[in-house]
Amino acid sequence: MPDEAVVRDFERHLRSERGRSEHTTRAYLGDVRHLLAWAQESAGVQRVGELSLADLRAWLADLSRAGAARTTVARRAAAARTFLRWATRTGRIPTDPSLRLTAPRRHRTLPGVLRAQEAAELLDVASVAADDDDPLHVRNRAVLELLYASGIRVGELVSLDVDDVDLREGLVRVLGKGAKERTVPFGVPAREALQAWLGRRSELVREGSGPALFLGRRGRRVDARQVRELVHVLLRHVPDAPDLGPHGLRHSAATHLLEGGADLRMVQELLGHASLATTQIYTHVSVDRLRRSYEQAHPRA
């Protein structure tokens, strides 16, 4: 592969300088390597500095003809721009061929969310399950209560340590995207669920458990896959609820906050969004619900 050393330098830049997550770094590198392999095979390009705007456009056109989704084409174009901008800034190539590169806009889809009543029923299911003698069910209740109360990402949740939670103040310290730390409040139900879990956590602690807040059956830090499966399984017990994962609880929390009158910038801070535009999608969710309710209720809708 041409310029693999440049790609490795870009990887170090993403990890150490930009603080990108493992998932984001892997996605960027995959897109860049796909571009370079295509350029070598289809356009005879041997070095990054030989890439032209025409090459980039032909690459995206090939992706579209092969049936790639608009979101995939847009993501790969963004990765290419990020890579080539970095390569130009660091003197690895003389000019940036992606300056005038455009890609199809992503369809802005509304995220799936629970209604407030459905969220309450989900948490009731978890609460009833926690009444038995299994510490994992107590943990599950705490996981769901905290996800919905705080709106944090599943990756942020599984990375929490015991010391990140302040039960007295009702606050959790979260390390978000780009290694940015923020403090997020949570309410009384989540506090009670966390307190109950911390009272049972020692039953799962093993050598090597460390300070992880949420543990699995074998005493290891719970992972995102386990939490996703948990949310899907418990939602099956809520009649007519959409099949959502942990991110659906995050969407639901944001939507319900805005529907309850929360300030958009406050929700932005709580969710850890770098841009207010990202948070604004939840206003569309609220308006969409308002429109549906109006059409169902108003006699002249």
Side-chain angles (χ1 to χ4, degrees):
M1 182 178 294
D3 285 331
E4 177 60 23
V6 177
V7 178
R8 288 196 296 270
D9 288 344
F10 181 57
E11 178 179 7
R12 283 191 288 272
H13 162 72
L14 291 174
R15 293 185 191 279
S16 61
E17 296 177 33
R18 297 288 294 275
R20 296 299 189 189
S21 68
E22 181 65 30
H23 175 77
T24 300
T25 299
R26 190 165 56 245
Y28 270 59
L29 295 177
D31 292 340
V32 168
R33 288 192 169 107
H34 185 279
L35 165 62
L36 296 181
W38 177 91
Q40 185 179 36
E41 181 178 341
S42 301
V45 171
Q46 299 301 316
R47 311 291 298 178
V48 175
E50 297 172 13
L51 279 169
S52 67
L53 177 61
D55 294 329
L56 296 174
R57 286 173 172 167
W59 172 57
L60 296 182
D62 264 10
L63 287 171
S64 296
R65 280 193 295 268
R70 288 168 63 98
T71 52
T72 300
V73 176
R75 189 202 70 215
R76 290 200 159 173
R81 282 193 292 266
T82 300
F83 170 64
L84 293 168
R85 186 166 57 242
W86 164 83
T88 306
R89 190 177 68 250
T90 57
R92 287 170 170 82
I93 60 175
T95 57
D96 181 357
S98 72
L99 286 176
R100 292 190 290 122
L101 181 66
T102 59
R105 289 182 178 271
R106 302 185 187 199
H107 288 301
R108 199 163 178 90
T109 55
L110 298 178
V113 294
L114 299 174
R115 296 183 179 277
Q117 182 58 37
E118 290 169 339
E121 290 178 21
L122 172 65
L123 296 171
D124 284 344
V125 169
S127 179
V128 170
D131 285 340
D132 67 11
D133 199 39
D134 190 339
L136 279 187
H137 292 168
V138 180
R139 179 209 67 186
N140 293 347
R141 178 193 171 207
V143 163
L144 289 179
E145 286 282 5
L146 186 57
L147 280 173
Y148 179 61
S150 63
I152 62 176
R153 302 175 178 92
V154 64
E156 296 168 344
L157 177 118
V158 299
S159 299
L160 292 174
D161 291 336
V162 173
D163 289 345
D164 290 327
V165 176
D166 184 339
L167 287 178
R168 187 172 65 85
E169 297 294 334
L171 298 171
V172 59
R173 184 174 62 244
V174 178
L175 192 64
K177 289 185 176 181
K180 293 180 180 177
E181 186 178 292
R182 69 186 191 281
T183 300
V184 181
F186 55 83
V188 173
R191 179 187 301 169
E192 292 174 348
L194 284 165
Q195 199 159 22
W197 158 241
L198 289 172
R200 304 290 300 273
R201 179 180 176 276
S202 60
E203 298 175 38
L204 296 178
V205 170
R206 304 286 185 273
E207 184 178 353
S209 292
L213 175 60
F214 294 115
L215 302 174
R217 182 76 71 185
R218 298 180 181 179
R220 297 174 184 167
R221 184 184 293 272
V222 72
D223 62 36
R225 178 188 55 80
Q226 292 170 291
V227 177
R228 289 190 188 98
E229 184 175 352
L230 162 66
V231 176
H232 285 300
V233 168
L234 291 184
L235 264 175
R236 292 175 196 152
H237 297 279
V238 180
D240 300 322
D243 182 24
L244 304 176
H247 216 64
L249 290 185
R250 176 174 163 85
H251 293 321
S252 301
T255 301
H256 299 162
L257 278 166
L258 288 169
E259 288 179 341
D263 177 74
L264 189 64
R265 289 201 176 273
M266 184 277 283
V267 177
Q268 176 192 6
E269 181 69 21
L270 187 144
L271 297 179
H273 286 158
S275 167
L276 190 63
T278 309
T279 316
Q280 283 175 328
I281 189 171
Y282 298 110
T283 64
H284 300 315
V285 176
S286 300
V287 170
D288 185 54
R289 283 188 169 185
L290 179 63
R291 183 180 296 111
R292 288 202 305 269
S293 297
Y294 176 85
E295 290 172 350
Q296 290 171 4
H298 200 287
R300 297 181 71 83

